[in-house]
């Protein structure tokens, strides 16, 4: 864990230079081929940076260095932030024309204030959104949130590849994708859901999944909060 934290930190500095200059070349060049090459570099670099950030987050969770920081938050703020992140992820994936987004805010929750760790809720949702976008090629991704007693239940529903019942117990394991072959279709380290589960544990929250192979999955994230 100490090695992962150190190496991921050191990798980010040169990678940020690669991202910055590739973006500069893409904007400044008048040659279509050069712009295309620079955009490919930037896109691949961004994917690598995401993996590095995931490794860094994993290292922190493995070292038990997650500290809960309570903040005041509004229901409408939670929902609008999540909506913005999901829209941005879908746009970056270039699947906009194949996937529609559905948002189902709860009118009562939108009016309420509560205390929780907003950054960690954001991190869990980001991992769930990323998972949905990655494994959905067409159809829809739906996000909703509602109050249940002294908790907030959020869900991310997709029309992706789905998960076999016997494999659902493995998806929160570290470095695990259900397709571990060398020719697997989907990229990534397979640690996003593991990080989400570890953060949820720190928040005394729960994550569960309901899925039908070939039809999609729904992830439920339920976190206790202090309503004020």
């Amino acid at each position: 864990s100490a090695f992962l934290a150190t190496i991921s930190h050191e990798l980010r500095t040169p990678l940020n230079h690669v991202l910055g200059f590739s973006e500069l070349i893409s904007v400044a060049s008048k040659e279509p081929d050069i712009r295309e090459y620079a955009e490919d570099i930037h896109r691949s670099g961004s994917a690598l940076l995401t993996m590095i950030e995931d490794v860094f987050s994993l290292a922190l969770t493995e070292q038990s260095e997650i500290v809960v920081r309570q903040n005041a938050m509004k229901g409408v703020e939670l929902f609008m932030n999540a909506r913005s992140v999901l829209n941005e992820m879908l746009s970056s994936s270039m699947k906009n024309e194949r996937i529609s987004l559905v948002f189902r805010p709860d009118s009562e929750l939108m009016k309420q204030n509560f205390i929780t760790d907003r950054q960690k809720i954001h991190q869990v949702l980001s991992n769930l959104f990323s998972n949905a976008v990655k494994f959905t090629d067409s159809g829809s991704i739906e996000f909703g949130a509602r109050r249940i007693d002294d908790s907030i239940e959020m869900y991310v529903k997709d029309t992706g590849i789905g998960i076999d019942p016997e494999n659902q117990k493995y998806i929160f394991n570290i470095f695990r994708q259900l397709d571990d072959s060398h020719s697997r279709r989907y990229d990534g380290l397979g640690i996003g859901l593991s990080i989400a589960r570890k953060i949820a544990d720190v928040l005394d929250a729960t994550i569960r999944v309901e899925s039908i192979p070939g039809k999609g999955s729904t992830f439920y994230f339920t976190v206790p909060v202090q309503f004020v």
Side-chain angles (χ1 to χ4, degrees):
S1 296
F3 170 76
L4 290 176
T6 301
I7 197 65
S8 61
H9 175 76
E10 294 301 323
L11 284 172
R12 278 181 292 182
T13 299
L15 185 55
N16 282 329
H17 292 158
V18 173
L19 290 172
F21 281 107
S22 62
E23 184 175 15
L24 181 62
I25 293 171
S26 177
V27 173
S29 177
K30 297 180 180 179
E31 298 292 332
D33 287 347
I34 293 178
R35 287 203 304 269
E36 182 180 351
Y37 299 152
E39 289 169 1
D40 285 342
I41 293 172
H42 191 274
R43 185 161 46 249
S44 296
S46 296
L48 180 57
L49 181 60
T50 297
M51 285 189 281
I52 291 172
E53 295 290 353
D54 283 346
V55 168
F56 184 70
S57 296
L58 176 64
L60 293 181
T61 61
E62 289 297 299
Q63 291 177 329
S64 300
E65 292 186 6
I66 302 179
V67 178
V68 176
R69 294 180 173 86
Q70 302 284 11
N71 320 108
M73 194 174 189
K74 298 179 179 180
V76 66
E77 178 186 357
L78 166 66
F79 191 84
M80 295 306 293
N81 286 347
R83 178 171 180 162
S84 176
V85 170
L86 183 50
N87 271 301
E88 184 178 347
M89 283 188 180
L90 183 61
S91 178
S92 299
S93 73
M94 295 182 292
K95 296 181 180 179
N96 307 60
E97 296 182 358
R98 306 197 305 270
I99 300 176
S100 60
L101 298 182
V102 180
F103 298 97
R104 301 198 183 279
D106 179 79
S107 58
E108 291 302 316
L109 177 61
M110 296 302 98
K111 302 173 186 176
Q112 294 179 320
N113 299 326
F114 49 88
I115 295 175
T116 187
D117 190 322
R118 70 173 69 193
Q119 191 273 336
K120 290 179 179 56
I121 288 181
H122 171 82
Q123 192 172 2
V124 171
L125 288 177
S126 292
N127 280 295
L128 295 182
F129 292 157
S130 177
N131 187 74
V133 171
K134 178 190 296 184
F135 294 107
T136 304
D137 289 326
S138 63
S140 64
I141 297 175
E142 179 178 325
F143 171 69
R146 61 172 180 158
R147 176 176 179 173
I148 301 180
D149 297 326
D150 291 327
S151 298
I152 296 176
E153 180 186 75
M154 293 153 276
Y155 71 88
V156 182
K157 181 179 181 181
D158 65 62
T159 56
I161 60 176
I163 308 164
D164 291 323
E166 61 269 23
N167 286 325
Q168 292 180 17
K169 61 184 177 181
Y170 298 120
I171 61 174
F172 294 103
N173 289 357
I174 298 175
F175 298 118
R176 184 63 185 268
Q177 282 196 17
L178 298 185
D179 177 10
D180 283 330
S181 65
H182 292 294
S183 60
R184 66 186 187 182
R185 180 179 178 185
Y186 300 97
D187 295 329
L189 297 174
I191 62 178
L193 291 179
S194 174
I195 293 171
R197 167 64 65 83
K198 289 177 181 294
I199 295 174
D201 289 343
V202 172
L203 296 174
D204 292 325
T206 61
I207 294 182
R208 61 185 178 89
V209 61
E210 296 177 357
S211 185
I212 301 176
K215 294 186 179 295
S217 305
T218 304
F219 285 84
Y220 294 91
F221 173 40
T222 307
V223 56
V225 301
Q226 179 183 347
F227 286 95
V228 295

